Amino acid sequence: MGGTTHESTSSTVKLQKALADAGLGSRRTIEKWIAAGRIRVDGELATLGDRVTPTQRVELDGKLVSRHVQSGPRMLLMNKAAGVEVTRKSATDRRTVFAQLPKLKSGRWISVGRLDVGTTGLLLFTNNGELANKLMHPSTNLDREYAVRVRSLLNDETLERLMRGVEINGVTCRFTDIQYYDGRGSNHWYHVCLMEGRNREVRLLFESQGIMVSRLKRVRFGPFIAPNFVPAGRVVEIHSDEVNAVCEMLGLSIQTRSRGDSKPSNTNRAVLIPYPNLTLPRWYRD
């Protein structure tokens, strides 16, 4: 393609990484844009594998994109409400999560995974594509935990099948853990964990056993928990110390910019829990 440069590879970077570092999206998302023909470099159609220099002109859908590298990653945590879509523009005129986020001077917020319109709870955002990609990539082995309300108690055979694995659309899906939580009458709550969280995977697993999910809420993503101080539909910025701790856990050298918030005034507003290879900020232990 025309975006291929004659410069040495030491002075270039992969196109998807350059745009991810500028906060345009995750690498996976940008690769889809390239494959769909939405990106041009110096006026020519980009292809997967292209590398670019800092001076080359990059356009997305015909518009010049800013490639200013963020000074450091930022993260947001939302307690998603039901009926809100995880999309930038709804095809059905529903409210979208991105309409609720603070504005950025450059780049854009990237959602770390998705929740379907009826699912509530923990949803993460970052302005850094490399961080978003690491958090979502299966090789990182971050589990997701959901609170699930169903209309009946599950017997031992059903629990075993859900843990052993069920083939859904040609893919074997399973929970890595499932625990009874609470319930009375016809409503019973379970907490389930899975590794990737494919589209509607929790609902489809229960439906494969003839069980309908009446409510579904994500309560944890790896070390991040859905704190009770964030009401439904609200979003908070995650403390810079916590962002740095997660980046270190993931093996990323990036550091979030200092916002003069070395310690929050209320440490009960923490959003992380102990997790393998995670070193919690010192003020967690103070």
Side-chain angles (χ1 to χ4, degrees):
M1 87 98 200
T4 300
T5 177
H6 296 293
E7 307 250 353
S8 67
T9 56
S10 62
S11 62
T12 65
V13 66
K14 284 187 177 180
L15 177 58
Q16 60 266 38
K17 183 180 188 305
L19 298 185
D21 288 347
L24 269 293
S26 69
R27 290 193 198 183
R28 188 178 303 176
T29 296
I30 293 166
E31 288 170 356
K32 291 179 181 178
W33 293 348
I34 295 172
R38 297 178 60 189
I39 297 179
R40 290 180 176 271
V41 178
D42 291 340
E44 297 187 27
L45 204 61
T47 58
L48 290 172
D50 286 339
R51 304 178 70 89
V52 293
T53 68
T55 59
Q56 287 184 283
R57 180 184 179 90
V58 180
E59 295 173 285
L60 172 63
D61 296 333
K63 295 181 180 180
L64 181 67
V65 298
S66 170
R67 292 165 58 195
H68 171 71
V69 177
Q70 306 293 321
S71 56
R74 295 169 62 188
M75 292 192 71
L76 303 175
L77 183 152
M78 173 182 285
N79 184 359
K80 178 186 170 297
V84 184
E85 289 189 50
V86 184
T87 184
R88 296 188 186 276
K89 187 175 181 180
S90 172
T92 57
D93 294 326
R94 284 194 178 100
R95 291 180 298 155
T96 72
V97 294
F98 289 97
Q100 302 172 250
L101 305 184
K103 301 297 183 183
L104 288 170
K105 291 182 179 179
S106 62
R108 59 168 63 184
W109 293 114
I110 307 162
S111 65
V112 179
R114 300 170 63 88
L115 294 175
D116 64 48
V117 66
T119 301
T120 64
L122 175 63
L123 186 60
L124 299 170
F125 301 86
T126 179
N127 65 334
N128 184 278
E130 186 177 9
L131 176 55
N133 186 66
K134 267 287 191 180
L135 287 167
M136 289 186 284
H137 202 279
S139 65
T140 309
N141 292 321
L142 296 182
D143 60 339
R144 287 81 156 153
E145 182 177 348
Y146 294 81
V148 189
R149 189 179 74 183
V150 295
R151 299 295 188 185
S152 60
L153 284 168
L154 308 183
N155 59 40
D156 290 343
E157 291 78 10
T158 299
L159 293 171
E160 183 181 347
R161 282 193 296 270
L162 291 174
M163 292 284 291
R164 186 174 61 243
V166 178
E167 185 172 318
I168 299 174
N169 298 325
V171 177
T172 299
C173 303
R174 70 182 186 92
F175 294 127
T176 57
D177 190 29
I178 180 167
Q179 298 289 334
Y180 183 72
Y181 186 74
D182 193 14
R184 61 172 62 92
S186 61
N187 291 324
H188 297 273
W189 285 92
Y190 288 84
H191 276 218
V192 301
C193 294
L194 43 76
M195 297 307 297
E196 292 189 45
R198 298 180 182 90
N199 184 35
R200 300 189 73 250
E201 186 171 358
V202 175
R203 296 181 189 274
L204 290 172
L205 271 166
F206 277 97
E207 288 173 11
S208 73
Q209 306 303 303
I211 301 165
M212 298 301 296
V213 172
S214 58
R215 283 191 63 185
L216 181 60
K217 178 178 182 178
R218 184 157 66 189
V219 296
R220 183 173 60 82
F221 188 109
F224 296 94
I225 58 169
N228 56 17
F229 63 81
V230 183
R234 297 290 295 275
V235 61
V236 296
E237 181 150 6
I238 297 174
H239 191 276
S240 58
D241 288 353
E242 296 170 304
V243 177
N244 281 338
V246 170
C247 289
E248 183 178 353
M249 178 191 76
L250 297 173
L252 298 175
S253 59
I254 52 179
Q255 292 286 307
T256 188
R257 63 185 180 185
S258 173
R259 294 184 285 118
D261 55 358
S262 59
K263 182 177 179 179
S265 58
N266 183 354
T267 54
N268 290 327
R269 299 177 72 83
V271 301
L272 297 178
I273 59 172
Y275 204 77
N277 302 316
L278 174 67
T279 301
L280 294 170
R282 180 175 299 176
W283 48 263
Y284 269 61
R285 305 182 294 274
D286 290 345

